[in-house]
Amino acid sequence: MTLHQIISGGEMTGWLQPICVLAAEPEQDLPLSEGMTAVWPDAQHIWRARRENGQEFTPTTLRYHATQADFAAAFASQYPVLIIGENGKPQGMASAAAFCERVLQERNRSVALVGAVLDAADELICAIDEHGIVTVFNARAEQIYKIKREEIVGKPVTDFFSDLLITQVQQNAISSGQVVRDQYHQPVFGTHVLCNAGPVLMQGRVIGAVTAEREITETMRLSNELARSNTQVSNLQREIMKINRPADAFGKIHGQSAALTGVVDMAKRIAHTDVSILLRGESGTGKELFAEAIHRASSRHDKPFVVINCGAIPFNLFESELFGYLPGSFTGADRRGRKGKFDEANHGTLFLDEIGELPLDMQVKLLRVLQNQRFYRVGGGDPIAVDVRVISATNRPLEKMIEDGLFRDDLYYRINVVSLEIPPLRERKEDISQLVWLFVRECCMKQGIPAKHIEPEVIDIMRRYSWPGNIRELRNVAERMVVLSEGSNITVDNLPSLIKYEEDGGFSDEFGCLLDITDKTERDLIVQALEKCGNDRSRAAKMLGIPRSTLYYKLNKYRLQGKYGKVSKKST
């Protein structure tokens, strides 16, 4: 095939066209294109010189879908290379040197094009090779990180950044092929970004990693400003609530979970009535908050809401606390006498928290008041009429206590006209994020510090924790994180060890058993001391070497108030 036939029979396209030269035997000058002569201006002279010297040409063929080995063989040949197009037709011929020169030109052109694209991007783009050496660092990255490209390219990325997502991606890519999308990251202090990162693969092998980071520092600043504004608005709302009755009496109960909203809806339906309500739920679930909300939603909202914790009052003071006493009723009594909780709550609501701790003899007197709406002060003989709505709460199994003779069934039915079971936090984990943000904002406002941002990973770990202390424990942890965090961010490092250890599986079954054994031993010692002293708590406290107030606390903790609530006759 002559060179003229190659030209006329094929279609030279793309970047191969200007480097193809004729290497056959036409009788006349070859019709080289302008592009060919521009790249290889001496093509005509070279062809004539070889023809005059009688040189023959045996071209090496290089097809469109050539492999790396084909290219190596073609470039090693001393003869011209025959270029075969995608359509199977010859496209021309070229020397290996000209071909390599053109490939180099195209490579430089591609590098320039990619560089311009990278510098035009608004994202911060950085790439490293398999050894962690920086290969790409665009103009936006220079601007944000204040590092010149000449200073960082060709050097280990760890020389400039201590915590980069890109290095984590590279390390995990070999085993898992990890790709990261929209992950929050703070590579240097004061700079916040969202990262997209992934490995760079060549023929199935990881040769590096690349990350594109979208800066959100200004967005974070505006978010904090908004949080501070929301705090100020909340403060104003709180002041307004002191003046006016809020439109929603249940506004302090936060959460959107189905478990919670069902209880709130039931509470709203019964709030306008005067029926007795029993709130049940674990410690820290917010029983008092529900009781107050029911009171505020009732017709008694402008009357007193009085709280009495039945587990915190010594058994011999219960009657005087509930009903009051007359002057000189007993040794140590106030000479002017004192009103009781029923007096204070008249026409309002009395909330009896931990009613399961009420001694049996006081259960009888409470039942009489609820039935007759009258009571007697200690040392008095005249009945006092009272109009009080009673809301009770407990975390104890009253039905089992009735079977054991520790709680009166007639009082149970009197206080349990309507029962509301408040769900524990572990059954409404979808509310944790809202509650954490609320408690953090409240604590920041209370401490007089700017609102803080909570990293998403903190919320994820808190959602996986079991929260045995429920809302009370969650609020405690939120306040702790605010106080101990540095700067404007709350990080995983600010979480209590207990929560992080449960997340990591750090506590073993043996650890839990040790706590149980400790509590059981302490409980048994208290029981033994009380039995030995004939239920005389003062003597029992001295025997145990603890203050009497501590003994009362322990009796309440181990649910011993009912069983050891009376003084034995042997001790009198």
Side-chain angles (χ1 to χ4, degrees):
M1 180 180 292
T2 67
L3 182 59
H4 181 73
Q5 290 171 326
I6 292 175
I7 292 287
S8 59
E11 296 178 0
M12 290 183 287
T13 60
W15 62 271
L16 287 175
Q17 181 175 357
I19 67 168
C20 293
V21 296
L22 299 178
E25 304 175 359
E27 296 298 329
Q28 64 278 2
D29 289 343
L30 301 177
L32 296 179
S33 68
E34 181 180 351
M36 293 180 187
T37 55
V39 174
W40 202 341
D42 295 331
Q44 293 278 7
H45 302 291
I46 294 173
W47 179 82
R48 289 194 184 94
R50 291 190 174 184
R51 183 178 62 179
E52 292 173 357
N53 294 333
Q55 296 179 0
E56 296 184 359
F57 298 90
T58 306
T60 299
T61 302
L62 188 62
R63 298 185 176 276
Y64 184 81
H65 296 289
T67 64
Q68 187 173 352
D70 295 333
F71 273 98
F75 294 156
S77 173
Q78 61 178 322
Y79 300 108
V81 179
L82 177 63
I83 309 299
I84 304 298
E86 185 177 10
N87 57 7
K89 297 179 180 180
Q91 300 295 298
M93 302 187 74
S95 70
F99 197 89
C100 289
E101 182 180 0
R102 186 60 179 175
V103 169
L104 181 60
Q105 291 177 356
E106 283 299 313
R107 183 262 182 191
N108 293 337
R109 178 177 177 274
S110 298
V111 169
L113 177 61
V114 172
V117 171
L118 292 176
D119 286 342
D122 193 47
E123 287 78 10
L124 294 72
I125 299 176
C126 177
I128 59 175
D129 63 16
E130 62 268 38
H131 303 296
I133 304 301
V134 178
T135 57
V136 173
F137 200 74
N138 73 340
R140 182 63 171 163
E142 285 185 305
Q143 177 185 356
I144 298 302
Y145 292 132
K146 304 296 187 290
I147 301 175
K148 292 295 184 181
R149 189 176 316 179
E150 297 79 11
E151 299 175 4
I152 190 171
V153 172
K155 297 178 182 177
V157 68
T158 53
D159 290 353
F160 299 86
F161 302 98
S162 59
D163 180 24
L164 266 188
L165 189 64
I166 189 172
T167 56
Q168 302 173 23
V169 170
Q170 182 197 27
Q171 293 167 1
N172 298 332
I174 297 177
S175 58
S176 62
Q178 177 190 14
V179 175
V180 175
R181 298 292 182 196
D182 292 328
Q183 180 168 327
Y184 171 80
H185 188 53
Q186 189 175 5
V188 295
F189 180 77
T191 300
H192 307 270
V193 298
L194 288 180
C195 291
N196 291 329
V200 178
L201 302 175
M202 185 177 72
Q203 298 179 348
R205 184 174 68 88
V206 177
I207 62 170
V210 62
T211 179
E213 305 172 358
R214 184 168 72 256
E215 190 196 12
I216 58 171
T217 303
E218 181 64 14
T219 303
M220 294 294 297
R221 187 189 67 80
L222 294 176
S223 176
N224 289 334
E225 290 289 343
L226 178 60
R228 281 191 287 269
S229 299
N230 288 338
T231 300
Q232 295 174 354
V233 171
S234 299
N235 192 23
L236 291 174
Q237 289 177 339
R238 188 173 292 106
E239 294 298 323
I240 294 173
M241 287 173 59
K242 294 179 181 179
I243 302 174
N244 301 321
R245 181 187 176 191
D248 183 9
F250 291 81
K252 291 184 179 181
I253 300 175
H254 299 275
Q256 303 299 324
S257 61
L260 180 68
T261 54
V263 180
V264 171
D265 291 340
M266 174 64 76
K268 288 180 178 179
R269 288 200 297 271
I270 62 177
H272 68 279
T273 70
D274 270 345
V275 298
S276 298
I277 301 172
L278 177 61
L279 302 176
R280 314 191 72 160
E282 297 176 5
S283 178
T285 51
K287 296 186 287 295
E288 183 175 341
L289 198 62
F290 266 85
E292 184 180 0
I294 292 172
H295 167 74
R296 291 167 57 201
S298 72
S299 59
R300 301 173 181 262
H301 64 87
D302 56 343
K303 299 300 188 291
F305 175 74
V306 180
V307 179
I308 182 168
N309 190 320
C310 300
I313 302 175
F315 77 99
N316 56 342
L317 298 180
F318 256 115
E319 188 172 4
S320 60
E321 283 290 324
L322 284 177
F323 308 129
Y325 56 84
L326 295 178
S329 298
F330 52 87
T331 303
D334 193 317
R335 288 179 298 178
R336 295 171 296 179
R338 182 179 176 183
K339 291 184 177 181
K341 297 298 182 182
F342 271 94
D343 278 301
E344 295 177 13
N346 195 23
H347 301 299
T349 302
L350 179 64
F351 177 52
L352 298 175
D353 197 9
E354 298 189 38
I355 196 171
E357 310 302 328
L358 198 65
L360 281 170
D361 56 345
M362 281 305 303
Q363 293 179 25
V364 176
K365 296 181 179 181
L366 176 61
L367 175 63
R368 187 180 301 117
V369 176
L370 296 181
Q371 289 176 337
N372 302 327
Q373 292 291 297
R374 282 178 169 80
F375 68 91
Y376 296 85
R377 288 199 177 96
V378 176
D382 297 327
I384 300 174
V386 67
D387 174 23
V388 171
R389 181 187 193 174
V390 173
I391 301 177
S392 307
T394 185
N395 58 5
R396 299 190 63 184
L398 296 184
E399 296 80 5
K400 181 66 168 55
M401 293 179 66
I402 292 173
E403 294 178 4
D404 296 339
L406 300 177
F407 201 85
R408 296 182 61 94
D409 56 351
D410 47 3
L411 177 61
Y412 171 78
Y413 294 122
R414 176 62 66 176
I415 65 174
N416 191 26
V417 177
V418 177
S419 178
L420 295 179
E421 187 76 30
I422 302 175
L425 188 55
R426 63 179 175 275
E427 294 179 7
R428 41 179 292 220
K429 291 190 173 181
E430 56 267 51
D431 294 336
I432 288 179
S433 177
Q434 177 185 356
L435 292 172
V436 172
W437 280 103
L438 172 67
F439 295 155
V440 166
R441 286 200 303 269
E442 287 181 352
C443 184
C444 289
M445 182 178 66
K446 181 179 178 181
Q447 299 297 328
I449 59 179
K452 297 199 174 190
H453 171 75
I454 307 173
E455 291 189 353
E457 188 178 1
V458 175
I459 301 296
D460 291 339
I461 294 176
M462 296 179 82
R463 281 176 177 162
R464 290 191 286 270
Y465 180 58
S466 59
W467 298 106
N470 293 294
I471 304 296
R472 186 178 293 116
E473 182 183 8
L474 181 64
R475 180 186 289 274
N476 177 278
V477 170
E479 292 179 353
R480 179 187 187 276
M481 292 192 302
V482 169
V483 172
L484 297 183
S485 60
E486 299 179 357
S488 60
N489 282 348
I490 294 177
T491 68
V492 175
D493 293 336
N494 303 130
L495 283 169
S497 299
L498 177 64
I499 297 179
K500 291 188 289 187
Y501 283 164
E502 178 168 300
E503 163 70 10
D504 298 333
F507 285 118
S508 65
D509 293 339
E510 288 76 13
F511 187 90
C513 291
L514 179 60
L515 291 178
D516 293 340
I517 293 172
T518 302
D519 287 346
K520 184 178 184 303
T521 302
E522 186 176 60
R523 185 184 187 279
D524 291 344
L525 288 173
I526 292 174
V527 170
Q528 292 174 15
L530 287 168
E531 291 178 349
K532 190 171 182 179
C533 297
N535 289 359
D536 188 324
R537 299 188 180 191
S538 296
R539 291 172 55 197
K542 291 180 181 179
M543 179 179 291
L544 293 169
I546 59 177
R548 189 167 59 176
S549 59
T550 301
L551 178 59
Y552 288 139
Y553 169 76
K554 298 292 185 182
L555 289 174
N556 178 56
K557 175 181 178 182
Y558 298 122
R559 313 298 185 193
L560 297 173
Q561 285 277 16
K563 186 174 181 181
Y564 296 96
K566 296 181 179 180
V567 179
S568 173
K569 292 181 180 180
K570 296 180 180 179
S571 64
T572 59

